[in-house]
Amino acid sequence: MTKKVLLVDGMALLFRAFYATAMSNYYMINSKGVPTNAVYGMVKHLFTAVREYEPTHVVACWDMGSKTFRNDLLESYKANRSAPPEEMVPQFDLAKEVTEALNIPNVGMAGYEADDCIGTLSHHYREEAEVLILTGDQDMLQLLEPNVSVVLLKKGYGNYAEYTVERLHEEKGITPKQLIDLKAFMGDSSDNYAGVKGIGEKTALKLLHQYESIEGILENIEHLTKGQRGKIESDLDMLHLSRDIAEIRCNAEVYHSLERAVFDVNEERMAEKFNELEFRNWRKNLL
């Protein structure tokens, strides 16, 4: 049997599910006063993807605290983000309890982001299984390889943009690794790093098509327009720093054997957890 492993970006599913219902103040608060809307929606996203892609193995990856090695590189990394809404806070641990009840391993490592855990595991698993990364984060496209695909969540449930190395090249004309250099130029306002001021996606893509990498561009900097050259030279340190921040690490010290990630839900254990959380109509709406 061909092995197919689904690597789940737990935080991406959880936040997407939370905001989908929180916009209308629908938090699904149970009799214990605990909001469950994010966890319920996360499970719905998960089961919808499982039905669609029929993985043989599933692993969920999580951020472990707010500080990572990227904060050591740049103190202000993600400093512009506000604290999560109070209704969200108790659902972080609940989400992990639920995946555990579904016999899905939870993987995370202090000092690294979920992205790095997913990158590392996809590197481990790609030799023996087809790898699908389920996320809402386009940064994950840098992890694309011949045996690794990225499934981006779109609006609603069951709507996906499926990316392979070929599709990325068709759309942007670049390789997954060149995406890191693209991000280095563009920066990321949501993560609070600047890139090169005045160089956006269009110009960065044009330069990468022509010179392939940051190194190639710098080696040919005299051929650039005066404006491009000036912008790059004045932000050179930030360009290199931004690339370091943008690159998903695939060498985090996390490992989880595929044998322990076989997707095999214990119906009784699942029912007990869903009923404990007071998920209404879960048999009809989730499975």
Side-chain angles (χ1 to χ4, degrees):
M1 182 179 67
T2 310
K3 293 176 185 172
K4 186 193 284 189
V5 57
L6 185 70
L7 293 176
V8 179
D9 183 350
M11 288 298 186
L13 270 62
L14 200 61
F15 273 98
R16 180 173 286 260
F18 178 81
Y19 285 110
T21 52
M23 301 298 279
S24 51
N25 289 325
Y26 183 59
Y27 297 112
M28 290 176 61
I29 294 166
N30 64 22
S31 63
K32 300 180 191 75
V34 179
T36 59
N37 64 320
V39 180
Y40 189 93
M42 179 201 76
V43 173
K44 189 168 181 180
H45 276 303
L46 178 65
F47 279 136
T48 304
V50 163
R51 276 195 302 275
E52 178 76 20
Y53 296 103
E54 300 182 332
T56 54
H57 301 70
V58 180
V59 178
C61 293
W62 303 92
D63 294 338
M64 304 292 282
S66 56
K67 296 290 180 197
T68 70
F69 73 90
R70 291 181 178 88
N71 297 100
D72 298 332
L73 294 171
L74 180 68
E75 202 178 330
S76 58
Y77 177 68
K78 290 191 177 180
N80 56 338
R81 295 197 180 184
S82 52
E86 60 178 295
E87 294 88 356
M88 183 90 195
V89 175
Q91 300 193 64
F92 291 127
D93 286 339
L94 272 188
K96 291 176 196 165
E97 287 176 24
V98 166
T99 44
E100 206 172 284
L102 296 170
N103 282 340
I104 295 172
N106 290 312
V107 174
M109 187 178 181
Y112 288 89
E113 294 180 36
D115 300 23
D116 305 305
C117 297
I118 288 171
T120 301
L121 291 179
S122 74
H123 258 48
H124 285 317
Y125 296 152
R126 64 185 173 168
E127 303 298 335
E128 52 178 320
E130 179 188 347
V131 178
L132 296 172
I133 296 169
L134 181 66
T135 182
D137 184 358
Q138 295 209 18
D139 291 350
M140 296 278 203
L141 297 178
Q142 65 180 264
L143 298 175
L144 289 168
E145 293 186 81
N147 211 26
V148 179
S149 306
V150 173
V151 177
L152 290 177
L153 297 160
K154 307 303 279 183
K155 197 170 181 180
Y157 291 93
N159 300 315
Y160 309 110
E162 296 169 26
Y163 276 86
T164 57
V165 173
E166 293 75 22
R167 176 168 177 182
L168 177 66
H169 197 268
E170 279 167 27
E171 281 191 12
K172 305 247 186 219
I174 57 174
T175 65
K177 290 288 170 272
Q178 284 178 301
L179 262 182
I180 304 167
D181 288 6
L182 178 64
K183 285 276 294 193
F185 278 108
M186 292 170 58
D188 189 326
S189 57
S190 69
D191 285 343
N192 206 34
Y193 62 92
V196 176
K197 287 186 191 70
I199 296 214
E201 182 175 21
K202 193 175 171 186
T203 303
L205 278 173
K206 187 179 171 190
L207 293 173
L208 288 169
H209 290 158
Q210 199 163 357
Y211 302 115
E212 294 190 2
S213 66
I214 287 173
E215 285 72 26
I217 292 165
L218 295 178
E219 282 164 18
N220 290 279
I221 201 154
E222 70 276 6
H223 300 308
L224 273 50
T225 67
K226 190 180 173 187
Q228 290 167 351
R229 182 174 180 169
K231 287 167 186 168
I232 291 171
E233 286 179 338
S234 65
D235 268 337
L236 199 53
D237 287 346
M238 182 49 77
L239 175 64
H240 289 300
L241 179 60
S242 295
R243 176 162 64 175
D244 214 8
I245 290 169
E247 184 178 1
I248 294 172
R249 301 302 194 265
C250 295
N251 58 353
E253 290 178 23
V254 292
Y255 183 70
H256 198 92
S257 73
L258 264 186
E259 286 66 41
R260 289 168 55 214
V262 172
F263 187 61
D264 183 21
V265 175
N266 179 312
E267 301 275 338
E268 202 175 312
R269 195 172 171 216
M270 174 181 71
E272 190 182 330
K273 192 67 188 175
F274 288 178
N275 289 331
E276 177 199 322
L277 292 174
E278 299 171 24
F279 282 176
R280 288 195 294 276
N281 301 321
W282 60 265
R283 288 187 192 278
K284 189 175 88 178
N285 295 332
L286 293 181
L287 302 186

